[in-house]
């Protein structure tokens, strides 16, 4: 069994070479050499001519090029997040939430929709892995955990009142999550502002070096 694997690998390499462009091109050139032999042009050195033509053909043939790896589209994680947000909304609709929490969830949901709706905003987000991580963490873990712990703690509080109000904790958590998403939006906005400022400086620098920028009329 130990010797069969190297033998199989060698056979695979040999078969791959037989099918390669180098071997096919070299064989075509060697056939041309045999044709010269049959016509008497190669003379007594026909084996050298055939071998030389085969080697020359193998050298000029393009090398075997393995296919380039295909990586997932940067926007593909957003497609999954959009579906997960829909699933999260269906879950939240089944939970009896206090009015203050519902009021907090509204703006947070609007931010998620604004970031994930297909368009130039989501395209900018797709180029920001950290931003995608922030959203995925909020949708997959933080929001469901906040609501679920609220539901469980509220039940225990009804059985035996505690020192902390579950509603206040939930509202505070939602406010913190809203702040994280707002920071993400601010970062994306800042990146666009920097891009705009960079383009302004480019136009200013280009105008400084032109005749129009110095006030000189064309042709003078």
């Amino acid at each position: 069994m130990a010797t069969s694997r190297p033998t199989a690998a060698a056979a695979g390499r040999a078969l791959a070479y037989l099918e390669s462009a180098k071997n096919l091109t070299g064989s075509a050139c060697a056939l041309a050499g045999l044709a010269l032999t049959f016509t008497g042009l190669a003379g007594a050195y026909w084996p050298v001519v055939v071998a030389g033509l085969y080697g020359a053909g193998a050298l000029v043939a393009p090398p075997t090029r393995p296919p380039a790896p295909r990586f997932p589209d940067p926007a593909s994680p957003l497609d999954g997040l959009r579906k997960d947000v829909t699933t999260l909304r269906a879950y939240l609709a089944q939970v009896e939430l206090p009015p203050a929490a519902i009021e907090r969830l509204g703006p947070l949901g609007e931010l998620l929709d604004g970031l994930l709706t297909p368009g130039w905003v989501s395209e900018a987000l797709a180029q920001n892995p950290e931003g995608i991580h922030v959203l995925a963490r909020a949708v997959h873990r933080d929001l469901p955990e906040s609501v679920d712990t609220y539901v469980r703690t509220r039940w225990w509080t009804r059985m035996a009142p505690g020192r902390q109000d579950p509603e206040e904790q939930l509202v505070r958590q939602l406010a913190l999550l809203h702040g994280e998403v707002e920071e993400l939006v601010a970062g994306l906005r800042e990146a666009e502002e920097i891009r705009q400022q960079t383009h302004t400086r480019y136009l200013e620098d280009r105008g400084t070096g032109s005749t129009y920028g110095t006030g000189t009329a064309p042709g003078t």
Side-chain angles (χ1 to χ4, degrees), residues 107-205:
L108 181 55
E110 291 176 0
L111 285 179
L112 292 177
D113 290 339
L115 289 169
L116 293 175
T117 298
W120 65 269
V121 175
S122 63
E123 291 173 1
L125 176 62
Q127 305 301 322
N128 189 326
E130 180 60 28
I132 296 176
H133 172 71
V134 169
L135 286 189
R137 182 178 59 193
V139 172
H140 296 157
R141 188 185 68 188
D142 293 336
L143 269 170
E145 179 70 13
S146 295
V147 173
D148 187 56
T149 52
Y150 161 75
V151 173
R152 289 185 281 121
T153 306
R154 182 184 58 176
W155 185 88
W156 285 109
T157 302
R158 289 174 179 176
M159 297 292 292
R163 292 174 297 179
Q164 294 183 345
D165 185 354
E167 179 178 334
E168 292 180 1
Q169 292 295 316
L170 174 61
V171 172
R172 182 180 178 186
Q173 291 170 6
L174 295 178
L176 292 172
L177 290 174
H178 184 267
E180 283 189 354
V181 180
E182 276 190 325
E183 289 182 4
L184 169 60
V185 173
L188 294 174
R189 182 197 64 210
E190 182 180 358
E192 291 298 331
E193 290 175 349
I194 293 175
R195 179 183 178 186
Q196 184 184 35
Q197 293 167 3
T198 301
H199 188 58
T200 300
R201 288 195 296 269
Y202 161 72
L203 293 176
E204 290 175 345
D205 294 341

Side-chain angles (χ1 to χ4, degrees), residues 63-85:
T64 302
R65 183 179 65 84
R70 292 184 175 273
F71 298 105
D73 187 347
S76 59
L78 298 185
D79 294 334
L81 267 179
R82 294 183 185 105
K83 296 178 182 178
D84 296 338
V85 168

